[in-house]
Amino acid sequence: METLRLHRLEKIILYTLKQLNKPSTFGEVAEKAYQLFSGVAGEDAEAIRSPSAVAKACGWLQSKGLVSIEEKVVSKTLTIGAEGIEYARNGLPERRLVESLKLRGGSAGISVLSQEMPSLAIALNWAKRNGWVEIGKDEGGETVVRLTGEIPSKTPAEELLDILMLDGGVDMKDLDDRLRKAAEELLKRQNVVKLAERREHIISLTDEGLRIASELALLQPAEIFKEVTKLTPELLLTGRWREVTLSSYDVKAPVPPVFSAKRHPLTQLIRLVKQAYTEMGFEEIKGPIVELAFWNFDALFQPQDHPAREMQDTFYIDTEERGVPPRQYVNFVKAVHEHGGGTGSRGWGYKWSEEEASRLILRTHTTATTIRHLAAVRKPPIKVFSVDRIYRNEKVDWKHLAEFHQIEGIVVDERANFRQLMGVIKEFYSRLGLRQVRFRPSYFPYTEPSAEVEVFLAGKWLELGGMGIFRPETTHPLGVKHPVLAWGLGLERLAMIIYGVEDIRTFTRNDLNWLRRTSPFKAYETSGRVSRKD
Ligand code: PHE
């Protein structure tokens, strides 16, 4: 039977409405339910009588289509407002105007009146409407106000104000036509009278509600009430749970959202990135955050006076301590910088300083990590990636962070070429659901050819990183003989688009609301910008 899905209180209300046999108010239902059920309800009896409990249960029943609730204005009470009290005591402005005109023999100039009456405009307006005065000019051209016609000693509005002063409030129903019209007029004036509406809710059974109520009507109140909504230790200990009817759970009822623990959106994206690379046969590598300038710059054939090395761009560790560039490469790197070192290049043509290469910095790109790995392994096959943190001395704003992530990788293979490099990058993005990728010629000191990677996202081409094939000036000093494909891509910029974030600082702000509603899968589903590859 469907009634099983109803809460006890809902059943009580359906039952009661059936007994009442007419649309009824919350109060009436509560009262009748109390009559019917108090005998069997024990200590719950008072709860049945509470109109607010009844109202709540009626709300549930309404959403299930078993009752309909109609709101009705049952009474309108007129009371006097602050201005009304003033008028009742000292007269309406139009009455005061008339009195003043009478004292002056029936007419007066506007200038005299306005000095006497602060609310002259209101007074004139209503006196004219009532047909008590007319406005004209005297011989001198001044505007004058003259009494005209019959003026009753008391208007219905004035009567009404008197009544309200005496009685406090009157029901609109109790007013005769004359006074009701006066009330409507007064309601148009500010703060003179007020209308308080009392509303009532009338509940009636729908057809479906009536059907279920009729089934319930076959039961005794005790049978309906014996249903237990809470299993208590007492019920268990006494064994009484065997006799009672336990109400069933509605497992489809809406529940408050649960915010379970989950990974940070950026971490989730990093995991997707790592998954994409591992699926493509790459291995992850790690490198130090505090890096030798040697690996971050020198080994990458960046001259020592390169602007990127300056304090504004690079965080130098604030210490006299120096690192030790690996002995076996120092002379080769020095030679390459100074004159090309037999690579066919002319180098940069300056005096290379080992001291400068020994400085400790926070790595400014993860290419420092891949070049280290390259030096250690040297020979193909190498297919490695890293997704890691890098540091740049940037002023933090909506577009920049000083600490962010790069997605880096290299492939070393005897026959590796630029076309394969483009293929690897395209494949990587397509695994994230991004299929439109293009390359533009670019420049890096350590690659040739070099390109910029652009991805079509959210309606525009977004520059996401750089790539290229390491120059001999980079590979030769390390003893690497095969072509090295290399790339470094931004993570946060990609994340901003995927998550629809306009301010890059969102990722580090720990805004719980944002964290709770954000997940990459949701972003993929709802943004419509990127569609995930299954
Ligand atoms: N290191 C470059 C950057 O930080 C990206 C890059 C990596 C370019 C490898 C070419 C090769 O922008």
Coordinates of all heavy atoms in Angstrom, one line a residue, residues 296 300 302 364-368 370 390 392 404 406-410 421 442-451 463-470 484-490, ligand 1:
N296 N 69.8 25.4 -14.5 CA 68.6 26.2 -14.9 C 68.9 27.1 -16.1 O 68.0 27.3 -17.0 CB 68.2 27.1 -13.7 CG 66.7 27.7 -13.9 OD1 65.8 27.0 -13.5 ND2 66.6 28.9 -14.5
L300 N 71.7 25.2 -20.4 CA 70.7 25.5 -21.5 C 71.1 26.6 -22.4 O 70.3 27.2 -23.1 CB 69.3 25.8 -20.8 CG 68.6 24.5 -20.2 CD1 67.5 24.9 -19.3 CD2 68.1 23.6 -21.3
Q302 N 72.0 29.6 -22.0 CA 71.5 30.9 -21.8 C 72.7 31.8 -21.3 O 73.3 31.4 -20.2 CB 70.4 31.0 -20.7 CG 69.1 30.2 -21.2 CD 67.9 30.5 -20.3 OE1 67.6 31.7 -20.1 NE2 67.3 29.5 -19.9
T364 N 63.3 28.3 -12.4 CA 62.4 29.2 -13.1 C 61.6 28.4 -14.1 O 60.7 28.9 -14.7 CB 63.1 30.4 -13.7 OG1 63.9 29.9 -14.8 CG2 63.9 31.2 -12.7
H365 N 62.1 27.2 -14.5 CA 61.3 26.3 -15.4 C 61.8 24.9 -15.1 O 62.8 24.7 -14.5 CB 61.5 26.7 -16.8 CG 63.0 26.8 -17.3 ND1 63.3 27.2 -18.5 CD2 64.1 26.5 -16.6 CE1 64.7 27.2 -18.6 NE2 65.2 26.8 -17.5
T366 N 60.9 24.0 -15.5 CA 61.3 22.6 -15.2 C 62.2 22.0 -16.3 O 62.6 20.8 -16.2 CB 60.0 21.7 -15.0 OG1 59.0 22.1 -16.0 CG2 59.4 21.8 -13.6
T367 N 62.6 22.8 -17.2 CA 63.6 22.4 -18.2 C 64.9 22.1 -17.4 O 65.7 21.2 -17.9 CB 63.8 23.5 -19.3 OG1 62.5 24.0 -19.7 CG2 64.5 22.9 -20.5
A368 N 65.1 22.7 -16.3 CA 66.2 22.4 -15.4 C 66.2 20.9 -15.0 O 67.2 20.2 -14.9 CB 66.2 23.3 -14.2
T370 N 64.6 18.4 -16.7 CA 64.7 17.5 -17.8 C 66.2 17.5 -18.3 O 66.7 16.4 -18.6 CB 63.8 17.8 -19.0 OG1 63.7 19.2 -19.2 CG2 62.4 17.2 -18.7
I390 N 57.3 25.7 -10.3 CA 58.4 26.6 -10.6 C 58.2 28.0 -10.0 O 57.1 28.2 -9.5 CB 58.6 26.7 -12.2 CG1 57.3 27.3 -12.8 CG2 58.9 25.4 -12.8 CD1 57.6 28.0 -14.1
R392 N 58.8 32.3 -10.2 CA 59.3 33.5 -10.9 C 58.9 34.7 -10.1 O 57.8 34.8 -9.5 CB 58.7 33.6 -12.3 CG 59.3 32.5 -13.2 CD 58.9 32.7 -14.6 NE 59.3 31.4 -15.3 CZ 58.9 31.1 -16.5 NH1 58.2 31.9 -17.2 NH2 59.2 29.9 -17.1
F404 N 54.1 28.5 -9.6 CA 53.1 27.8 -10.4 C 53.7 26.6 -11.0 O 54.8 26.1 -10.6 CB 52.5 28.8 -11.4 CG 53.5 29.5 -12.3 CD1 53.7 29.1 -13.6 CD2 54.2 30.6 -11.8 CE1 54.6 29.8 -14.4 CE2 55.1 31.3 -12.6 CZ 55.3 30.9 -13.9
Q406 N 54.6 23.8 -14.3 CA 54.9 23.5 -15.7 C 54.7 22.0 -15.9 O 55.1 21.2 -15.1 CB 56.3 24.0 -16.1 CG 56.3 25.4 -16.5 CD 57.6 25.8 -17.1 OE1 58.7 25.3 -16.7 NE2 57.6 26.9 -17.9
I407 N 54.3 21.8 -17.1 CA 54.2 20.4 -17.6 C 55.4 20.2 -18.6 O 55.3 20.9 -19.7 CB 52.9 20.2 -18.4 CG1 51.7 20.5 -17.5 CG2 52.8 18.7 -18.9 CD1 50.4 20.6 -18.3
E408 N 56.4 19.4 -18.2 CA 57.6 19.4 -19.0 C 57.8 18.0 -19.5 O 57.4 17.0 -18.9 CB 58.8 19.8 -18.1 CG 60.1 20.1 -18.8 CD 60.2 21.5 -19.2 OE1 59.6 22.4 -18.6 OE2 61.0 21.8 -20.2
G409 N 58.5 17.9 -20.6 CA 58.9 16.6 -21.1 C 60.0 16.6 -22.1 O 60.3 17.6 -22.8
I410 N 60.7 15.4 -22.3 CA 61.6 15.2 -23.4 C 61.5 13.8 -23.9 O 61.1 12.9 -23.2 CB 63.1 15.5 -23.0 CG1 63.5 14.6 -21.7 CG2 63.5 16.9 -22.7 CD1 65.0 14.6 -21.4
L421 N 57.6 15.7 -32.6 CA 57.4 16.5 -31.5 C 56.0 17.1 -31.5 O 55.2 17.1 -30.5 CB 58.4 17.7 -31.5 CG 58.3 18.7 -30.4 CD1 58.2 18.2 -29.0 CD2 59.4 19.8 -30.5
S442 N 59.0 30.3 -32.9 CA 59.4 31.0 -31.7 C 60.9 30.9 -31.5 O 61.6 30.4 -32.3 CB 58.6 30.5 -30.5 OG 58.8 31.3 -29.4
Y443 N 61.3 31.4 -30.3 CA 62.7 31.4 -30.0 C 63.0 31.0 -28.6 O 62.4 31.6 -27.7 CB 63.4 32.7 -30.3 CG 64.8 32.8 -29.8 CD1 65.9 32.2 -30.5 CD2 65.1 33.4 -28.6 CE1 67.2 32.3 -30.0 CE2 66.4 33.4 -28.1 CZ 67.4 32.8 -28.8 OH 68.7 32.8 -28.3
F444 N 63.9 30.1 -28.4 CA 64.5 29.8 -27.0 C 66.0 29.6 -27.3 O 66.4 29.1 -28.3 CB 63.9 28.5 -26.4 CG 62.4 28.7 -26.2 CD1 61.5 28.1 -27.1 CD2 61.8 29.3 -25.1 CE1 60.1 28.2 -27.0 CE2 60.5 29.4 -24.9 CZ 59.6 28.9 -25.9
P445 N 66.8 30.0 -26.3 CA 68.3 29.9 -26.5 C 68.7 28.5 -26.7 O 69.8 28.2 -27.2 CB 68.9 30.5 -25.3 CG 67.8 31.3 -24.6 CD 66.5 30.7 -25.1
Y446 N 67.9 27.5 -26.2 CA 68.4 26.1 -26.1 C 67.8 25.2 -27.2 O 68.0 24.1 -27.2 CB 68.2 25.6 -24.7 CG 66.9 26.1 -24.0 CD1 65.7 25.3 -24.0 CD2 66.9 27.3 -23.3 CE1 64.6 25.8 -23.4 CE2 65.8 27.8 -22.7 CZ 64.6 27.0 -22.7 OH 63.5 27.5 -22.1
T447 N 66.9 25.7 -28.0 CA 66.2 24.9 -29.0 C 66.3 25.5 -30.4 O 66.4 26.7 -30.6 CB 64.8 24.6 -28.7 OG1 64.1 25.9 -28.4 CG2 64.6 23.7 -27.5
E448 N 66.3 24.6 -31.4 CA 66.3 25.0 -32.8 C 65.9 23.8 -33.6 O 66.6 22.8 -33.5 CB 67.7 25.6 -33.2 CG 67.7 26.0 -34.7 CD 66.8 27.2 -35.0 OE1 66.6 28.1 -34.1 OE2 66.1 27.1 -36.0
P449 N 64.8 23.9 -34.3 CA 63.8 24.9 -34.3 C 63.0 25.0 -33.0 O 63.0 24.1 -32.2 CB 62.8 24.5 -35.4 CG 63.0 23.1 -35.5 CD 64.4 22.7 -35.1
S450 N 62.4 26.2 -32.8 CA 61.6 26.4 -31.6 C 60.2 26.8 -32.0 O 60.0 27.4 -33.1 CB 62.1 27.5 -30.8 OG 63.5 27.3 -30.5
A451 N 59.2 26.4 -31.2 CA 57.8 26.8 -31.5 C 57.1 27.1 -30.2 O 57.4 26.7 -29.1 CB 57.1 25.7 -32.3
E463 N 48.0 30.7 -25.7 CA 49.4 30.3 -25.8 C 49.7 29.5 -24.5 O 49.6 30.0 -23.4 CB 50.3 31.5 -25.9 CG 51.7 31.2 -26.3 CD 52.6 32.3 -25.8 OE1 52.3 33.4 -26.2 OE2 53.5 31.9 -25.1
L464 N 50.1 28.2 -24.6 CA 50.2 27.4 -23.5 C 51.7 27.0 -23.2 O 51.9 26.4 -22.1 CB 49.3 26.2 -23.5 CG 47.8 26.4 -23.2 CD1 47.1 25.1 -23.1 CD2 47.7 27.2 -21.8
G465 N 52.6 27.3 -24.1 CA 54.0 26.9 -23.7 C 54.9 26.9 -24.9 O 54.6 27.4 -26.0
G466 N 56.1 26.3 -24.7 CA 57.1 26.3 -25.7 C 57.7 24.9 -26.0 O 57.5 24.1 -25.1
M467 N 58.3 24.8 -27.1 CA 58.9 23.5 -27.4 C 60.0 23.6 -28.5 O 60.1 24.7 -29.1 CB 57.8 22.5 -27.9 CG 57.2 22.9 -29.3 SD 56.0 21.8 -29.8 CE 56.1 21.9 -31.6
G468 N 60.7 22.6 -28.7 CA 61.7 22.7 -29.7 C 62.7 21.4 -29.6 O 62.4 20.5 -28.9
I469 N 63.7 21.4 -30.5 CA 64.7 20.4 -30.5 C 66.0 21.0 -29.9 O 66.4 22.1 -30.4 CB 64.9 19.8 -31.9 CG1 63.6 19.2 -32.4 CG2 66.1 18.8 -31.9 CD1 63.7 18.6 -33.8
F470 N 66.5 20.4 -28.9 CA 67.7 21.0 -28.3 C 68.8 21.2 -29.3 O 69.1 20.4 -30.1 CB 68.2 20.1 -27.1 CG 67.5 20.2 -25.8 CD1 67.5 19.2 -24.9 CD2 66.8 21.4 -25.5 CE1 66.8 19.4 -23.7 CE2 66.2 21.6 -24.3 CZ 66.2 20.6 -23.4
V484 N 67.0 15.5 -29.3 CA 66.2 15.6 -28.0 C 65.0 16.5 -28.3 O 65.2 17.7 -28.6 CB 67.0 16.2 -26.9 CG1 66.1 16.2 -25.6 CG2 68.3 15.4 -26.6
L485 N 63.8 16.0 -28.2 CA 62.6 16.8 -28.3 C 62.2 17.3 -26.9 O 62.2 16.5 -26.0 CB 61.4 16.0 -28.9 CG 61.7 15.1 -30.1 CD1 60.4 14.3 -30.5 CD2 62.2 16.0 -31.3
A486 N 61.9 18.6 -26.8 CA 61.7 19.1 -25.5 C 60.5 20.1 -25.5 O 60.3 20.8 -26.5 CB 63.0 19.8 -24.9
W487 N 59.8 20.1 -24.4 CA 58.7 21.1 -24.3 C 58.4 21.5 -22.8 O 58.8 20.7 -21.9 CB 57.4 20.6 -24.9 CG 56.9 19.3 -24.3 CD1 56.0 19.2 -23.3 CD2 57.3 18.0 -24.7 NE1 55.8 17.8 -23.0 CE2 56.6 17.1 -23.8 CE3 58.3 17.4 -25.6 CZ2 56.8 15.7 -23.9 CZ3 58.4 16.1 -25.6 CH2 57.7 15.2 -24.8
G488 N 57.8 22.6 -22.7 CA 57.4 23.0 -21.3 C 56.1 23.8 -21.5 O 56.0 24.8 -22.2
L489 N 55.1 23.3 -20.8 CA 53.7 23.9 -21.0 C 53.2 24.4 -19.6 O 53.5 23.9 -18.6 CB 52.8 22.8 -21.5 CG 53.3 22.0 -22.7 CD1 52.5 20.7 -22.9 CD2 53.4 22.8 -24.0
G490 N 52.3 25.4 -19.7 CA 51.7 25.9 -18.5 C 50.6 25.1 -18.0 O 49.8 24.5 -18.8
Ligands
PHE1 N1 61.3 26.4 -20.6 C1 60.4 27.1 -21.5 C2 59.5 28.1 -20.7 O1 59.7 28.1 -19.5 C3 59.6 26.2 -22.3 C4 60.4 25.3 -23.2 C5 60.8 24.0 -22.7 C6 60.7 25.6 -24.5 C7 61.5 23.2 -23.5 C8 61.4 24.8 -25.3 C9 61.8 23.6 -24.8 O2 58.7 28.8 -21.3

